[in-house]
Amino acid sequence: MEKVRSMSEFALRTALPSYLAKEQEKIEAFARAAGLDFFPTVYEILTYDQMNEIAAYGGFPNRYPHWRFGMEYERLAKTYEYGLSKIYEMVINNNPSYAYLLEGNSLTDQKIVMAHVCGHVDFFKNNFSFRSTDLDPGGTTTDPAKRPKNYDPNRRWIDKMANHGARVRRHVARQGMSKVEDFVDQCLSIENLIDPHAAFRGKRPVKSLDEDEKATEIPRLRAKDYMESFINPEEYLEQQRRKMEADKEREKRNPLHPERDVLKFLMDNAPLERWEHDILEIIREEALYFVPQMQTKIMNEGWASYWHSTLLTTKILDASEIIDYADNNAGVLATSGGRLNPYKLGVELYRNIEERWNKGQFGKEWEECDDLATKKNWNLRLGLGQKKIFEVRALYNDVTFVDEFLTAEFCRDQNLFSFSWSHRNDRYEIESREFKQIKNKLLFQMTNAGNPFVYVDDANYENRGELVLRHDHQGLDLRADYAREVMRSLFRLWKRPVNLHTQIEGKHVMVRYDGREHATRHMRT
Amino acid sequence: MSLKVDQDHSRFRAIVRGKIRQNLRKYISQGELIGRKGKDLVSIPVPQIDIPRLRFGDKQQGGVGQGDGSPGDPLGGEGEQSDGAGKRAGQGAGEHVLEVDVTLDELAVILGEELQLPDIQDKGKSKIINEKDRYTGIRRVGPESLRHFRRTYREALKRQIAMGSYAPEKPIIVPIPDDKRYRSWKTESEPVANAVILYMMDVSGSMGDEQKEIVRVESFWIDMWLSKQYKGLESRYVVHDAVAREVDRETFFHTRESGGTMISSAYKLCSQLIDEHYPPEEWNIYPFHFSDGDNWSMDDTLSCIDIIRQKLLPRVNMFAYGQVESPYGSGQFIKDLREHFGKDERVVTSDIRDKDAIIGSIKDFLGKGA
């Protein structure tokens, strides 16, 4: 813990009082004994306005200057003042991890938070998705499943974010606040057009320059002389020749393959000034940092909730605290107004997995059994539950987690349903209680963190240097007014007309923005 | 304590002010803000300021929930709320509305900027000078009663650390005279400008609810602008049909009489109020009269003009008359006023056709800087 002290040490001067430090030691010992493996964790105790400030900054004490943090702060401060919500805990994926406690919370609450934090930090350290946030040079991220024994990655994101702040402030000093802020706005509006797997993607092989030379001859199929005209007829050779030419033509395209990392593509190809390039890079890095958190919301919160309730009820609490605990815990796991609570869904899924693997309710035999009574009483006493959930927390993300472990029985027990907007009644209505439909909807929502899939298709459309983005339409249209605004932002970066290929109500359209107006053209498919 | 986020917060507030300015005309003509007035804050609904991204349209997607209910039931008990609320949420197209608190002063500044209202010029009526002491700084000399403990302590601590005589295990700080710091003050004198608005309104049968609503909205903005300009602002309310009487604010906007209209009765009462309570050398006086312009007789109109000329104009900053169009009124009165006072800048007349005209009329009234 001592060795990684750095700038972040000076971020806040809000050390933990000794009675809480003692609790931390105790709780962490229990957590380690239970098998959790976490980074060293530094707790800070904050007043509510400090807490709101840090929450507005996404958990970091220092960010680049931007008005939306101010908006978030206003929202948080207001909901706190009106007594609508209160942030109990916050923890950031950093090594060492930083977690914040709210000043004036009861001791029971602080204990819950600390146990909860142990779960989160264990998850940060062990779930494969978070390996993309390792800052070590040399890419430890290439094989996320294998990791060294003494895994101690560089995740000094607090310092990195603070440096980003310093960089942006320097640009502000040179370029002026509104110019920079305006540019940040443009970048933020395309912030979600990144490849969430960028860190794991590796590099595409680059063709060396002399490789082109050899394949100019048209490949013929082997044939004896007298068969030549049958096996390699003129038409075939002509066809091959055309194919090769088309291939060659394609190689001149930029990008070679549809590019999902729009931000990176713009960094490499758009005519940006140095400071603009720098800001775009900062926005992209930060967007990528938050990706794993979005990919594992249910798993991460579920894991933390699983452990705070396990540790508190079995080890930490004494009888006098149990009511307070139950009250708080019920609040955390409550589902109200039919909304899905990721804490609740996550923790129930882990418990379900644990129970199933304890009882051996998995595998071919289990799945093929269709006798309800047998299934209900199925118990092989394998006791594999703990082992399984630890494995799950390392190797899954929300999509694979739900896909693999959300069963029809679970769906029914948890009273899940799918809902949709009813145009007739002008309100959201429960749509179905059918397992397939619910699961599909849930998976769709989580895929790509709920963002549309968008690719750069061409940077020289119609040989006019126009950018073409293609929205891979999977059933839902884009929100039109936002899409138009995003195209403005893209134009600002690309400085040439920008096209978006998407579908509107089932029809393929190409929306073009040339810096003055938007034009929509229907496309033949 | 100051926070790092304060800077971002003030950038955000600046953006919000811009939004309010953009939408000011809408707020004014819809009278939206009036119901939201607190003591000195107005809570303004601003369309959510959002960063546009490529994302799916709101209502297509739906989602997954947890709880009781069968297919076709509304989600989350929304149906139990009144239909009105559900409808409104529907029309908003899933847009979130941000409630922003703005002080009345800020709002007045925005109004002033948007309508390019000039500040009111000093008429030399504000002769009462109020003197006020304010602590503004720190000095090295001063009376012991004003000694600034924290600053003094800090200076002493600094000196002891610098001299090496500070021992953390035995932290005793002894200030010497050189360490002492005292609060210092400045005397500021500010003129106490008092102003009174005398609202008069015709409540005869021809003034309907819509006309009154217009008067209400207009008076809200006039109140606000003038209270920005003057420290102490009073409002008095007079209603009249054939006779005039003074009422409170609530009654002013809700009374409805059915009698005829004698405008002179209101002007007489107005003049009487000035006589009794508001000596013109101490007060800035603003009579505002709203009517549909239908007076009982030409004789009465002539005596109105007489009162304005003889009794009111010498004593008031300006005399404002707003004529609200109603299907019953002839709208003659404004023409008579214009005929008699056409060139007199102290008499301001304004024709308010409908709610959209309110903003223009505010500018008519307040645009002169009188």
Side-chain angles (χ1 to χ4, degrees):
Chain A
M1 190 149 123
E2 284 307 310
K3 98 180 175 29
V4 273
R5 289 241 149 155
S6 58
M7 266 175 69
S8 32
E9 186 187 359
F10 305 102
L12 296 158
R13 289 237 169 256
T14 37
L16 208 57
S18 61
Y19 76 99
L20 284 173
K22 264 184 215 137
E23 285 300 331
Q24 180 188 357
E25 213 169 293
K26 238 165 67 187
I27 290 168
E28 289 188 348
F30 285 130
R32 264 191 211 100
L36 295 180
D37 164 29
F38 36 85
F39 297 132
T41 307
V42 181
Y43 284 93
E44 316 238 9
I45 197 150
L46 303 183
T47 62
Y48 77 93
D49 51 347
Q50 288 172 314
M51 190 69 132
N52 288 337
E53 177 186 64
I54 289 190
Y57 282 138
F60 288 88
N62 254 314
R63 293 291 290 273
Y64 58 82
H66 191 257
W67 58 265
R68 79 175 190 290
F69 302 128
M71 176 166 76
E72 187 57 18
Y73 176 77
E74 166 132 350
R75 196 185 64 76
L76 290 169
K78 215 165 259 179
T79 48
Y80 178 85
E81 275 161 28
Y82 295 161
L84 298 174
S85 79
K86 171 157 121 175
I87 302 163
Y88 267 97
E89 55 95 14
M90 225 176 351
V91 52
I92 27 181
N93 167 28
N94 193 76
N95 182 10
S97 272
Y98 277 74
Y100 307 103
L101 299 172
L102 184 62
E103 179 189 78
N105 270 353
S106 73
L107 183 59
T108 315
D109 284 352
Q110 308 291 33
K111 286 181 186 173
I112 299 176
V113 171
M114 287 192 200
H116 195 83
V117 164
C118 286
H120 276 310
V121 179
D122 170 80
F123 197 86
F124 291 148
K125 185 171 175 185
N126 292 289
N127 185 273
F128 80 97
S129 314
F130 285 90
R131 300 222 40 203
S132 66
T133 60
D134 289 359
L135 292 169
D136 306 79
T140 48
T141 51
T142 42
D143 188 356
K146 274 190 212 135
R147 41 167 249 203
K149 270 231 170 70
N150 301 319
Y151 178 56
D152 186 21
N154 172 1
R155 286 195 194 163
R156 267 177 275 165
W157 280 91
I158 291 196
D159 300 353
K160 196 169 168 64
M161 294 275 183
N163 287 342
H164 286 173
R167 266 153 81 185
V168 174
R169 282 194 184 88
R170 200 167 60 224
H171 297 312
V172 167
R174 293 217 178 123
Q175 314 290 337
M177 187 67 196
S178 42
K179 196 169 160 192
V180 171
E181 197 172 60
D182 193 46
F183 187 76
V184 172
D185 284 353
Q186 323 280 358
C187 295
L188 285 174
S189 78
I190 53 170
E191 181 193 37
N192 59 341
L193 306 183
I194 47 171
D195 183 355
H197 311 297
F200 301 138
R201 195 176 70 174
K203 282 183 184 131
R204 283 218 169 84
V206 187
K207 258 194 177 172
S208 68
L209 283 173
D210 23 85
E211 214 172 318
D212 294 4
E213 307 292 323
K214 49 192 174 186
T216 42
E217 205 172 311
I218 300 161
R220 288 161 184 259
L221 297 174
R222 269 175 50 158
K224 291 188 173 121
D225 279 351
Y226 69 96
M227 287 295 281
E228 175 72 22
S229 62
F230 296 98
I231 289 185
N232 291 318
E234 270 306 299
E235 305 89 78
Y236 170 76
L237 290 179
E238 179 62 23
Q239 198 190 335
Q240 287 299 307
R241 201 176 54 77
R242 256 191 240 131
K243 196 170 153 243
M244 276 178 60
E245 266 171 19
D247 279 352
K248 255 188 160 170
E249 206 46 44
R250 205 172 308 127
E251 271 174 36
K252 286 187 201 152
R253 280 173 68 113
N254 185 23
L256 215 49
H257 309 276
E259 175 59 67
R260 202 167 153 197
D261 199 337
V262 180
L263 259 61
K264 180 88 178 101
F265 183 83
L266 290 172
M267 275 166 59
D268 294 343
N269 293 282
L272 298 172
E273 285 179 40
R274 283 254 301 268
W275 68 271
E276 293 176 323
H277 190 274
D278 194 40
I279 283 173
L280 191 55
E281 184 177 13
I282 287 171
I283 302 282
R284 178 171 172 271
E285 276 180 356
E286 297 197 358
L288 283 171
Y289 169 81
F290 287 108
V291 162
Q293 256 144 87
M294 285 186 271
Q295 285 173 329
T296 58
K297 179 107 183 119
I298 296 172
M299 283 190 77
N300 200 347
E301 292 302 354
W303 186 249
S305 302
Y306 176 91
W307 282 107
H308 85 234
S309 60
T310 307
L311 290 176
L312 271 106
T313 50
T314 57
K315 309 274 187 203
I316 297 164
L317 295 180
D318 62 45
S320 68
E321 295 169 311
I322 210 80
I323 303 275
D324 281 345
Y325 159 77
D327 183 37
N328 181 318
N329 190 53
V332 172
L333 298 182
T335 55
S336 69
R339 306 280 161 187
L340 205 60
N341 177 346
Y343 292 72
K344 168 88 173 159
L345 180 65
V347 75
E348 293 295 347
L349 266 172
Y350 282 114
R351 284 183 185 146
N352 184 251
I353 295 168
E354 187 181 16
E355 193 188 333
R356 282 175 57 204
W357 260 257
N358 273 338
K359 293 183 172 174
Q361 299 180 342
F362 59 92
K364 189 157 182 279
E365 273 175 61
W366 163 259
E367 262 153 41
E368 280 173 1
C369 171
D370 47 15
D371 181 53
L372 280 179
T374 325
K375 272 195 147 175
K376 202 161 185 199
N377 299 316
W378 191 291
N379 193 349
L380 304 178
R381 295 177 208 287
L382 294 182
L384 291 173
Q386 280 283 313
K387 191 166 166 260
K388 183 66 185 175
I389 56 173
F390 272 95
E391 179 190 306
V392 168
R393 74 95 156 75
L395 299 178
Y396 287 75
N397 63 26
D398 279 353
V399 175
T400 52
F401 184 58
V402 166
D403 191 28
E404 187 154 341
F405 300 111
L406 188 92
T407 61
E409 291 84 11
F410 180 86
C411 196
R412 195 190 51 230
D413 291 347
Q414 291 295 320
N415 225 356
L416 300 184
F417 59 79
S418 71
F419 63 87
S420 61
W421 182 259
S422 156
H423 284 284
R424 199 172 51 143
N425 296 330
D426 222 14
R427 64 184 188 196
Y428 282 109
E429 287 182 355
I430 296 179
E431 180 185 46
S432 164
R433 286 200 176 269
E434 210 203 317
F435 170 58
K436 268 241 157 70
Q437 216 166 330
I438 294 168
K439 188 158 170 178
N440 280 343
K441 201 144 219 176
L442 196 54
L443 286 174
F444 187 95
Q445 250 180 351
M446 296 185 309
T447 304
N448 199 20
N451 287 311
F453 286 87
V454 176
Y455 301 84
V456 181
D457 248 12
D458 196 354
N460 188 23
Y461 182 58
E462 304 273 343
N463 202 19
R464 290 190 301 226
E466 297 185 10
L467 188 70
V468 179
L469 296 191
R470 180 172 49 85
H471 165 219
D472 186 4
H473 194 276
Q474 301 184 340
L476 294 183
D477 290 358
L478 295 176
R479 189 173 151 171
D481 53 341
Y482 274 26
R484 282 194 292 273
E485 285 302 313
V486 169
M487 293 185 69
R488 279 176 210 275
S489 301
L490 280 165
F491 180 85
R492 163 85 178 71
L493 292 155
W494 187 248
K495 301 181 178 81
R496 290 281 306 148
V498 178
N499 299 272
L500 176 67
H501 179 181
T502 178
Q503 289 182 33
I504 299 175
E505 286 163 3
K507 294 199 178 79
H508 281 263
V509 292
M510 187 75 111
V511 186
R512 181 170 182 270
Y513 179 70
D514 62 3
R516 282 188 302 277
E517 54 182 3
H518 293 84
T520 308
R521 178 162 63 85
H522 286 267
M523 296 182 60
R524 275 172 296 148
T525 39
Chain B
M1 198 189 66
S2 84
L3 296 167
K4 280 188 216 91
V5 81
D6 286 346
Q7 196 197 355
D8 297 321
H9 193 228
S10 68
R11 294 290 303 171
F12 166 66
R13 301 287 300 185
I15 291 172
V16 166
R17 270 198 294 278
K19 285 265 169 189
I20 295 174
R21 233 180 108 169
Q22 263 174 32
N23 292 319
L24 191 67
R25 279 162 203 278
K26 195 185 88 194
Y27 293 137
I28 289 180
S29 58
Q30 292 177 0
E32 263 186 67
L33 303 181
I34 300 168
R36 304 169 170 272
K37 197 175 143 190
K39 192 160 167 284
D40 31 39
L41 285 177
V42 201
S43 184
I44 299 182
V46 187
Q48 172 92 0
I49 302 168
D50 201 359
I51 293 168
R53 297 204 170 94
L54 288 185
R55 61 184 188 84
F56 300 122
D58 276 312
K59 284 173 195 155
Q60 311 171 50
Q61 198 170 0
V64 174
Q66 185 169 25
D68 295 326
S70 45
D73 286 355
L75 192 68
E78 265 173 35
E80 287 158 27
Q81 290 169 3
S82 70
D83 268 2
K87 280 257 167 53
R88 215 177 46 219
Q91 284 160 355
E95 260 172 42
H96 302 281
V97 173
L98 200 67
E99 292 258 328
V100 196
D101 288 339
V102 178
T103 63
L104 288 175
D105 263 7
E106 264 181 298
L107 196 58
V109 171
I110 295 168
L111 176 79
E113 282 172 4
E114 181 63 20
L115 296 185
Q116 296 176 332
L117 298 180
D119 276 346
I120 288 174
Q121 278 147 29
D122 195 358
K123 291 232 154 132
K125 286 189 178 179
S126 41
K127 284 176 190 136
I128 305 170
I129 302 289
N130 201 1
E131 291 203 334
K132 222 172 153 190
D133 292 336
R134 276 179 45 181
Y135 291 107
T136 51
I138 296 291
R139 286 194 293 212
R140 299 182 80 117
V141 289
E144 284 303 300
S145 62
L146 288 181
R147 194 183 61 226
H148 194 304
F149 178 82
R150 195 155 43 86
R151 298 275 188 137
T152 306
Y153 178 87
R154 209 162 66 192
E155 289 304 320
L157 181 64
K158 255 162 49 182
R159 179 180 49 78
Q160 288 199 8
I161 290 174
M163 287 166 58
S165 63
Y166 174 74
E169 64 275 5
K170 219 179 149 203
I172 298 171
I173 306 293
V174 185
I176 60 169
D178 223 23
D179 296 331
K180 291 189 179 174
R181 296 290 181 274
Y182 303 88
R183 289 183 176 83
S184 74
W185 72 93
K186 229 192 228 164
T187 304
E188 289 173 349
S189 55
E190 53 181 23
V192 184
N194 287 322
V196 58
I197 309 178
L198 298 156
Y199 287 111
M200 291 168 279
M201 180 162 66
D202 182 356
V203 288
S204 63
S206 53
M207 288 284 282
D209 286 341
E210 198 184 324
Q211 282 74 27
K212 278 187 199 138
E213 177 64 17
I214 290 176
V215 176
R216 205 162 78 93
V217 172
E218 186 135 1
S219 68
F220 170 83
W221 291 96
I222 292 169
D223 266 352
M224 196 180 56
W225 178 250
L226 290 178
S227 55
K228 166 89 173 66
Q229 301 283 335
Y230 295 106
K231 276 275 155 1
L233 181 74
E234 274 188 32
S235 303
R236 302 292 282 258
Y237 300 90
V238 170
V239 292
H240 73 92
D241 43 12
V243 285
R245 63 199 165 95
E246 197 194 346
V247 293
D248 58 26
R249 186 181 170 85
E250 188 61 18
T251 328
F252 183 74
F253 291 116
H254 294 100
T255 320
R256 187 162 187 173
E257 310 280 342
S258 54
T261 315
M262 299 257 284
I263 295 178
S264 63
S265 65
Y267 293 177
K268 271 181 206 146
L269 182 58
C270 174
S271 162
Q272 201 182 324
L273 280 173
I274 296 174
D275 287 342
E276 284 166 18
H277 301 283
Y278 306 104
E281 38 315 325
E282 284 169 32
W283 289 84
N284 293 286
I285 302 166
Y286 293 87
F288 278 85
H289 178 220
F290 297 96
S291 149
D292 59 359
D294 213 10
N295 204 4
W296 179 252
S297 65
M298 200 57 205
D299 284 350
D300 191 62
T301 302
L302 285 177
S303 69
C304 284
I305 286 160
D306 202 41
I307 296 170
I308 295 175
R309 184 165 286 147
Q310 305 298 332
K311 297 205 165 151
L312 294 181
L313 281 185
R315 299 191 286 183
V316 302
N317 289 42
M318 69 171 194
F319 180 85
Y321 173 71
Q323 185 158 296
V324 193
E325 198 154 287
S326 92
Y328 311 105
S330 63
Q332 180 58 38
F333 194 67
I334 197 167
K335 291 177 200 155
D336 297 334
L337 279 184
R338 280 178 183 161
E339 192 184 314
H340 286 88
F341 297 102
K343 284 180 201 120
D344 195 331
E345 286 211 338
R346 291 171 299 174
V347 177
V348 184
T349 56
S350 177
D351 213 347
I352 316 164
R353 277 171 211 290
D354 50 24
K355 283 187 169 182
D356 289 331
I358 293 176
I359 192 152
S361 128
I362 293 174
K363 193 162 165 63
D364 284 345
F365 285 147
L366 305 175
K368 297 239 164 83

